[in-house]
Amino acid sequence: MSEGEKTGFISKMIGPKKRWRAYKARVKELPENYRTAVEAIERYLMYFVPIDADSNALTFEDLADLFEQAAVNGTPIREIVGEDPVEFAEAFAQNYTEGGYVPARARKQLADDIERAAGAETGTQDKTV
Amino acid sequence: MAKLLTEMLKGTLEGIILASLSGRPAYGYEITARLREQGFSDIAEGTVYALLIRMEKRGLVDVEKVPSEKGPPRKVHSLNSQGREYLEEFWRTWSFLAERLDQLRERGGE
């Protein structure tokens, strides 16, 4: 059985580093064009801020699942990732990350700052810093 | 045109997938193939896959791993009761939107 079977409890036990190596080993087994595509998506996914180590590892395991299945079915790369690979990658990343190139605290900061500014308009400005 | 279609599909793809699953359970490849046959020819399998994972996380679909003769096991998705409720809400919202847009087309901004 492939390393891909190590999900759930076992994957929690073997830890992020081992899961990463297992993922890399799976990618190596893919036909060359699928491997190239996975590695390109992998590079792009690195820009996202993961929720935690577990969901970060899961991202790549699910990515490997998708491409292993596609390789078996002979699905062309374009049909997997679509005309705009960024769109696919962002939809995919949304499941495991805090939603983009900025950490959650930065988005909270923006929301808080705007709320303070909007509050100031109606004279309800928060005096605390 | 294709660009506009893509943009408009973005908000509805979840509902489209749920509607497709309401007929019978399926795995990602099947759902994509089915939708492509029905005229959604630009849909990417990976995007469907990503949305299926999201819907699984939100508890709208149940997943069963079924062994396949070749390759890794397939994840077969089926709509559960929460998913059915969501789908009903999707159709209600869709009707609302379609109605408003029809009004706009007929009467303009008046």
Side-chain angles (χ1 to χ4, degrees):
Chain A
M1 272 281 108
S2 73
E3 293 282 8
E5 293 305 288
K6 289 179 183 168
T7 52
F9 176 73
I10 295 170
S11 59
K12 270 194 190 104
M13 299 306 290
I14 65 177
K17 255 190 199 164
K18 273 196 176 167
R19 287 173 78 179
W20 177 256
R21 279 200 291 269
Y23 153 74
K24 280 303 212 181
R26 289 171 71 187
V27 174
K28 247 173 111 177
E29 294 298 313
L30 288 169
E32 198 185 340
N33 55 333
Y34 289 85
R35 190 172 67 228
T36 308
V38 169
E39 283 166 354
I41 295 161
E42 177 192 304
R43 267 194 301 281
Y44 188 77
L45 291 172
M46 294 300 178
Y47 287 102
F48 290 85
V49 181
I51 296 165
D52 54 41
D54 195 46
S55 76
N56 190 46
L58 192 60
T59 312
F60 298 104
E61 287 161 0
D62 282 350
L63 183 67
D65 279 348
L66 172 65
F67 275 83
E68 277 173 356
Q69 199 80 70
V72 166
N73 292 328
T75 313
I77 305 281
R78 268 294 164 209
E79 284 185 25
I80 311 167
V81 302
E83 282 311 307
D84 183 2
V86 169
E87 207 173 298
F88 154 71
E90 308 232 327
F92 183 73
Q94 241 186 57
N95 290 318
Y96 318 93
T97 67
E98 293 184 334
Y101 314 102
V102 291
R105 64 170 187 281
R107 272 181 288 123
K108 187 178 181 304
Q109 176 87 57
L110 177 62
D112 289 352
D113 288 350
I114 295 296
E115 193 181 300
R116 204 169 297 130
E121 281 175 352
T122 55
T124 55
Q125 189 171 15
D126 186 357
K127 291 286 194 290
T128 56
V129 180
Chain B
M1 180 59 203
K3 178 84 185 132
L4 183 60
L5 181 64
T6 311
E7 285 300 315
M8 289 176 90
L9 267 179
K10 250 186 219 171
T12 47
L13 199 48
E14 258 190 16
I16 291 170
I17 293 169
L18 285 178
S20 175
L21 280 178
S22 72
R24 63 189 163 87
Y27 56 98
Y29 175 76
E30 263 181 316
I31 299 169
T32 315
R34 224 191 262 170
L35 291 175
R36 281 172 172 267
E37 264 169 42
Q38 289 164 358
F40 298 100
S41 47
D42 287 340
I43 280 184
E45 187 180 331
T47 306
V48 172
Y49 178 75
L51 288 179
L52 283 169
I53 290 172
R54 187 173 317 161
M55 293 191 278
E56 181 189 350
K57 284 187 168 189
R58 286 167 54 197
L60 303 178
V61 296
D62 292 332
V63 177
E64 196 192 341
K65 272 196 176 178
V66 178
S68 75
E69 291 157 32
K70 40 175 195 166
R74 290 166 173 164
K75 283 178 164 184
V76 176
H77 298 76
S78 58
L79 207 56
N80 60 27
S81 60
Q82 222 180 310
R84 280 183 202 287
E85 260 173 53
Y86 185 90
L87 181 59
E88 274 170 36
E89 200 192 320
F90 171 79
W91 286 129
R92 275 198 300 275
T93 311
W94 177 254
S95 304
F96 170 81
L97 255 182
E99 218 174 276
R100 299 296 119 176
L101 287 173
D102 274 347
Q103 270 183 21
L104 259 181
R105 180 159 58 183
E106 277 158 27
R107 292 191 237 146
E110 284 163 46

